[in-house]
Amino acid sequence: MILAGERELSGGRIECAPRLEAQIRPALRTMLEIHFPHSDIRIVPPSGRNDGTCLPLLYHITEVSTHSPSARPVLQIGPSHPAGSVTLTPESALIDAGDSPFLGFLISETPESLTLRRNIRLLLDDSRKTHLLRSRVQTIQKTSLEKTQTIQELRVSLRMLSARTTPLPRRTRPPEQTEPPPIASPHSKPPVPDAVSIPPLWFRAGRRLKRILCPPRSLPPVQEKTDPDENSAPFSPVTAPEAEAEAEAGAKPVPFFVRRVLFVAGEPDTPGVLYRCYRNAAAARDAGFDARVQSCAAVSYDDIHWADVMVFWRVEYSGHVSTIFDLAEAENVLTVFDADDIVFVPHYARVDMIDGIRSIGATEERIERCFSEMRRTFLRCDQGSTTTAELLFAMHSLRPVVHLLPNVYDTLSLKRARMALRMRGEPGCVNAGDGLVRIGYATGSRTHQRDFAPICPTIAEVLRQRPEARLVLFREPVTHRPVLLMEEFPSLIPVQGQIEWRDMVPLEELQDEFARFDISIAPLETGNVFCEAKSEIKFFEAALSGAATVASPTGPFQRVIRHGETGFLADSPTDWYDALVALIDNPERRVRMARDAYHSVLWPFGPQAQARRMKLALTSMSGDEAAALAGETRLARDRLAPSALPVIPASRTLFHHDALGEASVTVVITSYNYEAHLLDALESVAAQTLPILDLIVVDDGSSDGSVVLARTWMERHCDRFNRLILRQSMTNAGLGGARNIGMDAAETVHVMQLDADNTLRPEACETLLASMDDGTAYAYPLIACFNENGPVLMDMSADIHHQPGAPELLGDLPFNPLSLVSGNRIDAMAMVTKWAWAAVGGYYVSREAMGWEDFDLWCSLAERGLPGHHVPRILADYRQHETSMTNASTEKEAHKAHVVAFVQARHPWIRLSAERAKPRKS
């Protein structure tokens, strides 16, 4: 391993003496597969030469003593060398690897090298015994698990026989379903061993004895080692006498800290594993925890020992699972059952409640057994987690502590969705396309026959009355068998020419299909307890790709869809007809509804919000005080009123260029009659060190030559930018409205705000972007003030200690939300994330209170606990002049009184220290 690392070799060959090769080849091959699973190392007879065309020679193994002089070592095994010994002697080996500092030390005759060679011999001998013992333990454990599972199955069958008059068949593995293959997850799955690998008895006994004799002190969690193989938690060295003294003194037990979370997938080959395991594991990592995903069948003792918390998603109970729980209890691992459907209530397994039982060819008995085993798993767990309030209520009957963790999208899905939408034209605008209006039904399994049946005649009538409408349905890629069983929907036969069939795609490509829809439908059986608990996936995935949604008014959809604004809720056939016709006949409303839906889901179903939820859930498991603090935060957040949608004033696009690349930052320049300064701002953006950049200029109804200047400049700088957009508000909307227009048009997560009379320094965007992590809502720099005479110096008469001649700076305080209580300390020139902007409803739009839109935004973000970050570098320049908005409007006595009253009404906790107008000097 050391030699391969020194030479960065991923392949090589081992030359072995012919007779010896037959004896040790199997063991040698096993060793290579264990320690070098990804390397190309071959075992071959001695070649005697190296012509440069074959793999490098890593080792040469002989069975007789050698005496030929050489400067390189050889591994000798044979009559004169006892089994397990290692003799390194001068012999031709490592021909192509060259000299090695490690080997040079190893073959020397120093005391250190002699000790190392002796340790190598002992290590090899111990390793051989350990592997043999582990193999025997695994064999015994596998046999034991098989017998235990058989006994438990017999017990379940006996209980069921005693409760029923008709016998049930013995539980077997479910037969292969006739539904299409599940959508593949982009994540590879680990190999599946036969049983949980339990360490030897002496190891477990020693660990238990250590806990009894040497309990750790009650210390806060310490930084873990960076060694990825270090799985044991750090303990303070406490001697037995000290432990006894603490016990006699009644010392408190060691607090439990959650650091590592293992997500156990019971159905690792279904799409749900991506939502409930991989994305939640990513949220846990974003929240500062270490997280892994493992299929249930592959969980080993090492996984259990590594974890502090284990989350079981859709895991059926079995002997294997029982052993996992026993070991988890012994290791003091907290267990959580996670479900995204009501799969823990066996009597719901009826065809009249779950139509999918019939349509996939299953039986009620089989599904009931599945639900029963999942219920047993749930009852063995300490807590629960789920996706909707309806499921939360159902789980509370079995466990009092249940965490609400909705299904969410991830960053890659968002990027793919928005790119697919951009390929159709400018997002947020009506694009002609092919003139068709596509109504898509993105069902991924053959379990929604009864959901679609009530609206099918209405869909057929809409298609008949609107020839430009198309119904998009999906089919199996190879057999072209429809996912919906079409024989159950005869009303579609007359309009089958308006049905557009699409092949099912992997889950990572689903957003491309949503982007083809103009309207997405999500019908569900209302009043059905199983359907009422379904999550909001179909709404937020359609919204990400720019499709307007019509959905059934189930509980989750009613809570997230603002009827008539972000989507339509339709229950009766009349509701469905009116909603579909309204969206088909009014493209502007359709696009506006899809845009508002996108803004409404960007935060609550995004990875940043999920990381905050996950942090609260996992922190609450770390002890009484942590649970109390997490509970306080959770209850306070629940009391916050939902934010309004960002107000996006009407605008028109005057210039649009999209190279369809992926930039990290968009600069938004807002301009109103700043023809004299606009060019400086544009040139400062073009000079940014970020090579790929988006630029949006929003003209708020200027009457000077600003628009012509901006458009001419953009036409000449298309090669510099990935996206270039010039938008103009239909009427003067004010600063907040103009900024919202720019934020709406941006397609990057990070957006840099710049007023047209100010400038950025070349490294501004790159530096601010680098300072932000995934959870940072905004970042702001130091800003130097200047006027027509040059830099503005600080007022020497002010009661502030500073060097004479120091420049006047804005944004010079570190981030602390409490600094906002007395007034604004952060300038508008900041980098704001689009999800944070959407989370608080954007900038307020009010001409009567224009001027403090940025202060209001920082206050709204503070109320929701979204952090900012200060970069103590001068990265922008603020122009002081008599015609600036601050001097011309904001800092006028009458207007400022309106501004103060307006903002204080929105944030009653503000206690301004300077309410009187104070124009900035020029």
Side-chain angles (χ1 to χ4, degrees):
M1 294 172 68
I2 293 175
L3 295 173
E6 283 183 353
R7 299 300 167 184
E8 297 182 353
L9 298 175
S10 60
R13 70 187 194 280
I14 298 176
E15 293 186 354
C16 193
R19 187 175 68 84
L20 190 60
E21 179 184 4
Q23 300 176 14
I24 71 169
R25 183 184 184 94
L28 187 58
R29 174 51 57 191
T30 300
M31 183 270 292
L32 292 176
E33 291 175 352
I34 294 174
H35 297 290
F36 300 93
H38 303 297
S39 299
D40 181 18
I41 300 178
R42 307 171 187 175
I43 305 171
V44 299
S47 62
R49 65 186 181 86
N50 181 24
D51 56 8
T53 61
C54 58
L55 291 167
L57 179 62
L58 294 182
Y59 302 99
H60 180 82
I61 303 178
T62 183
E63 58 181 325
V64 296
S65 299
T66 59
H67 304 285
S68 58
S70 176
R72 299 190 178 101
V74 60
L75 176 64
Q76 295 188 346
I77 301 176
S80 59
H81 306 286
S85 68
V86 177
T87 304
L88 295 166
T89 61
E91 175 59 22
S92 178
L94 300 157
I95 293 174
D96 292 336
D99 295 330
S100 166
F102 171 70
L103 288 174
F105 164 75
L106 196 60
I107 65 176
S108 64
E109 296 300 323
T110 62
E112 292 81 2
S113 62
L114 293 174
T115 301
L116 181 58
R117 290 201 293 270
R118 181 172 61 256
N119 290 338
I120 290 175
R121 286 195 297 272
L122 295 175
L123 182 62
L124 288 176
D125 188 53
D126 182 69
S127 178
R128 185 175 62 255
K129 293 178 181 178
T130 300
H131 282 295
L132 179 61
L133 182 60
R134 180 173 295 178
S135 177
R136 291 176 180 173
V137 169
Q138 288 178 344
T139 302
I140 295 172
Q141 180 66 14
K142 179 180 178 181
T143 304
S144 175
L145 286 175
E146 291 174 351
K147 293 180 179 179
T148 302
Q149 185 172 2
T150 302
I151 292 172
Q152 291 176 343
E153 289 174 349
L154 289 173
R155 288 176 177 172
V156 172
S157 298
L158 287 173
R159 286 198 301 271
M160 297 179 71
L161 283 170
S162 64
R164 293 173 177 262
T165 58
T166 57
L168 293 177
R170 182 189 174 192
R171 182 170 183 257
T172 58
R173 292 184 61 84
E176 292 295 324
Q177 299 180 1
T178 58
E179 63 180 293
I183 301 176
S185 167
H187 305 273
S188 59
K189 304 299 186 302
V192 180
D194 292 328
V196 177
S197 175
I198 300 179
L201 177 62
W202 63 266
F203 180 80
R204 288 180 284 145
R207 289 183 70 252
R208 184 61 58 88
L209 186 63
K210 177 182 177 181
R211 288 182 177 180
I212 296 173
L213 296 179
C214 304
R217 294 180 183 270
S218 300
L219 293 176
V222 299
Q223 184 68 31
E224 296 182 65
K225 296 182 179 180
T226 57
D227 185 357
D229 294 330
E230 180 61 49
N231 294 327
S232 60
F235 294 109
S236 59
V238 182
T239 63
E242 291 173 336
E244 292 176 359
E246 289 185 2
E248 293 175 357
K252 293 182 179 180
V254 180
F256 177 76
F257 294 103
V258 177
R259 290 166 296 178
R260 306 184 184 97
V261 188
L262 179 68
F263 290 85
V264 181
E267 298 177 2
D269 298 322
T270 61
V273 72
L274 181 64
Y275 295 96
R276 301 311 300 165
C277 292
Y278 286 100
R279 289 183 183 174
N280 280 346
R285 287 190 287 269
D286 291 342
F289 302 89
D290 195 2
R292 298 177 184 171
V293 177
Q294 184 73 284
S295 66
C296 181
V299 172
S300 68
Y301 173 79
D302 290 339
D303 295 318
I304 301 169
H305 176 60
W306 173 85
D308 298 314
V309 174
M310 295 179 68
V311 181
F312 294 83
W313 172 70
R314 284 182 174 259
V315 172
E316 296 183 46
Y317 202 79
S318 65
H320 174 72
V321 174
S322 176
T323 303
I324 292 176
F325 276 111
D326 291 341
L327 292 173
E329 184 178 357
E331 293 291 331
N332 195 30
V333 176
L334 195 70
T335 53
V336 180
F337 180 79
D338 183 73
D340 46 2
D341 278 316
I342 304 183
V343 293
F344 46 86
V345 183
H347 66 265
Y348 285 171
R350 306 194 314 266
V351 171
D352 61 334
M353 184 171 292
I354 306 175
D355 186 54
I357 298 175
R358 170 189 65 86
S359 55
I360 66 174
T363 64
E364 290 182 342
E365 290 77 12
R366 197 187 88 190
I367 301 302
E368 184 176 0
R369 286 197 300 271
C370 173
F371 285 12
S372 297
E373 299 302 337
M374 288 193 185
R375 184 185 182 90
R376 292 184 65 191
T377 301
F378 187 13
L379 291 173
R380 285 291 305 264
C381 289
D382 302 303
Q383 299 181 11
S385 65
T386 190
T387 56
T388 66
E390 288 73 13
L391 278 167
L392 190 81
F393 179 78
M395 295 180 80
H396 271 151
S397 63
L398 299 178
R399 283 290 175 267
V401 179
V402 183
H403 306 280
L404 183 60
L405 299 170
N407 288 322
V408 296
Y409 65 86
D410 60 6
T411 302
L412 292 178
S413 297
L414 175 63
K415 287 183 177 180
R416 183 143 194 167
R418 303 310 292 179
M419 178 59 73
L421 184 60
R422 284 165 56 192
M423 294 181 70
R424 295 185 59 183
E426 183 184 2
C429 298
V430 178
N431 299 297
D434 55 10
L436 301 177
V437 179
R438 291 177 170 83
I439 305 170
Y441 184 32
T443 174
S445 62
R446 198 168 283 114
T447 58
H448 298 281
Q449 297 291 116
R450 207 157 63 204
D451 293 330
F452 186 72
I455 71 167
C456 184
T458 303
I459 296 287
E461 180 64 18
V462 170
L463 293 178
R464 188 184 65 80
Q465 294 187 14
R466 299 295 188 273
E468 71 275 18
R470 296 291 183 271
L471 176 63
V472 182
L473 299 176
F474 289 83
R475 63 190 181 185
E476 297 174 7
V478 178
T479 65
H480 286 180
R481 186 187 179 198
V483 175
L484 283 176
L485 300 177
M486 298 304 293
E487 57 269 21
E488 297 185 13
F489 308 113
S491 58
L492 291 179
I493 295 177
V495 292
Q496 57 186 344
Q498 291 176 257
I499 298 178
E500 184 178 301
W501 291 101
R502 299 285 295 178
D503 290 342
M504 293 181 66
V505 297
L507 189 58
E508 61 268 22
E509 299 176 19
L510 182 59
Q511 294 298 155
D512 297 349
E513 297 299 319
F514 271 114
R516 296 185 71 255
F517 300 168
D518 297 289
I519 305 168
S520 176
I521 58 175
L524 287 170
E525 272 192 278
T526 54
N528 181 312
V529 65
F530 197 82
C531 295
E532 286 282 353
K534 291 285 186 180
S535 76
E536 314 87 344
I537 289 179
K538 288 296 183 288
F539 174 64
F540 71 72
E541 288 185 334
L544 294 181
S545 293
T549 296
V550 183
S552 298
T554 61
F557 281 145
Q558 288 189 62
R559 287 189 293 273
V560 299
I561 296 177
R562 307 182 191 195
H563 180 66
E565 294 184 70
T566 62
F568 280 117
L569 296 169
D571 196 10
S572 67
T574 302
D575 294 339
W576 279 93
Y577 178 85
D578 292 343
L580 291 173
V581 169
L583 292 176
I584 292 173
D585 293 347
N586 194 334
E588 290 79 11
R589 184 178 187 184
R590 188 172 67 233
V591 171
R592 185 171 62 252
M593 182 174 285
R595 178 202 67 193
D596 290 340
Y598 170 49
H599 293 157
S600 74
V601 304
L602 198 57
W603 162 250
F605 298 103
Q608 294 81 15
Q610 191 77 336
R612 285 158 56 88
R613 298 186 194 102
M614 187 66 70
K615 186 172 184 177
L616 276 184
L618 295 176
T619 302
S620 70
M621 305 174 190
S622 295
D624 297 344
E625 292 186 7
L629 182 59
E632 177 191 19
T633 306
R634 167 70 185 276
L635 295 174
R637 287 179 182 174
D638 289 344
R639 288 196 299 270
L640 284 174
S643 297
L645 291 172
V647 178
I648 315 296
S651 65
R652 57 179 177 172
T653 299
L654 303 180
F655 183 83
H656 175 246
H657 161 78
D658 193 345
L660 296 177
E662 289 190 7
S664 299
V665 174
T666 299
V667 178
V668 171
I669 299 178
T670 51
S671 175
Y672 177 67
N673 288 338
Y674 275 151
E675 179 184 9
H677 308 304
L678 178 59
L679 189 60
D680 291 340
L682 291 170
E683 291 294 342
S684 74
V685 177
Q688 291 298 296
T689 55
L690 278 179
I692 303 177
L693 196 64
D694 291 356
L695 172 61
I696 298 171
V697 176
V698 180
D699 182 82
D700 194 19
S702 296
S703 57
D704 61 2
S706 303
V707 173
V708 176
L709 175 62
R711 180 164 187 164
T712 302
W713 188 90
M714 286 183 167
E715 290 172 349
R716 296 175 180 176
H717 289 79
C718 287
D719 293 340
R720 168 64 182 92
F721 296 96
N722 172 54
R723 295 179 78 228
L724 268 174
I725 296 176
L726 173 60
R727 282 194 179 182
Q728 186 179 48
S729 57
M730 303 302 291
T731 58
N732 183 264
L735 185 57
R739 287 195 176 136
N740 284 345
I741 292 173
M743 291 294 294
D744 169 54
E747 288 295 330
T748 60
V749 173
H750 299 89
V751 183
M752 183 69 202
Q753 299 293 331
L754 176 63
D755 290 333
D757 55 342
N758 300 325
T759 60
L760 299 176
R761 299 196 177 184
E763 66 278 9
C765 289
E766 185 173 12
T767 303
L768 289 172
L769 177 65
S771 72
M772 303 174 72
D773 58 28
D774 290 338
T776 306
Y778 62 100
Y780 60 99
L782 291 175
I783 302 172
C785 298
F786 73 102
N787 56 25
E788 66 275 10
N789 299 318
V792 176
L793 303 183
M794 297 188 68
D795 188 355
M796 299 300 294
S797 63
D799 189 18
I800 301 175
H801 296 286
H802 54 76
Q803 295 294 330
E808 182 175 343
L809 299 176
L810 304 177
D812 56 344
L813 290 181
F815 170 76
N816 190 322
L818 296 180
S819 68
L820 299 171
V821 172
S822 59
N824 190 16
R825 303 294 189 271
I826 305 170
D827 191 76
M829 273 191 286
M831 184 171 287
V832 182
T833 59
K834 187 162 182 174
W835 54 262
W837 166 82
V840 297
Y843 295 96
Y844 72 75
V845 179
S846 172
R847 291 191 53 79
E848 291 74 17
M850 188 171 61
W852 279 14
E853 292 84 356
D854 52 327
F855 181 37
D856 176 83
L857 185 72
W858 312 144
C859 292
S860 298
L861 294 172
E863 289 167 350
R864 283 159 177 78
L866 300 178
H869 179 68
H870 180 235
V871 177
R873 287 182 57 185
I874 299 177
L875 299 175
D877 295 282
Y878 178 88
R879 188 190 305 268
Q880 293 185 355
H881 56 98
E882 293 295 339
T883 59
S884 69
M885 193 191 73
T886 300
N887 290 333
S889 175
T890 306
E891 293 300 331
K892 297 296 184 181
E893 287 288 352
H895 183 77
K896 186 166 184 178
H898 287 294
V899 174
V900 171
F902 180 83
V903 176
Q904 283 193 326
R906 289 168 60 90
H907 311 287
W909 48 272
I910 295 176
R911 296 291 183 269
L912 298 179
S913 59
E915 297 185 9
R916 296 186 61 82
K918 183 182 179 182
R920 288 177 178 172
K921 62 185 179 181
S922 59

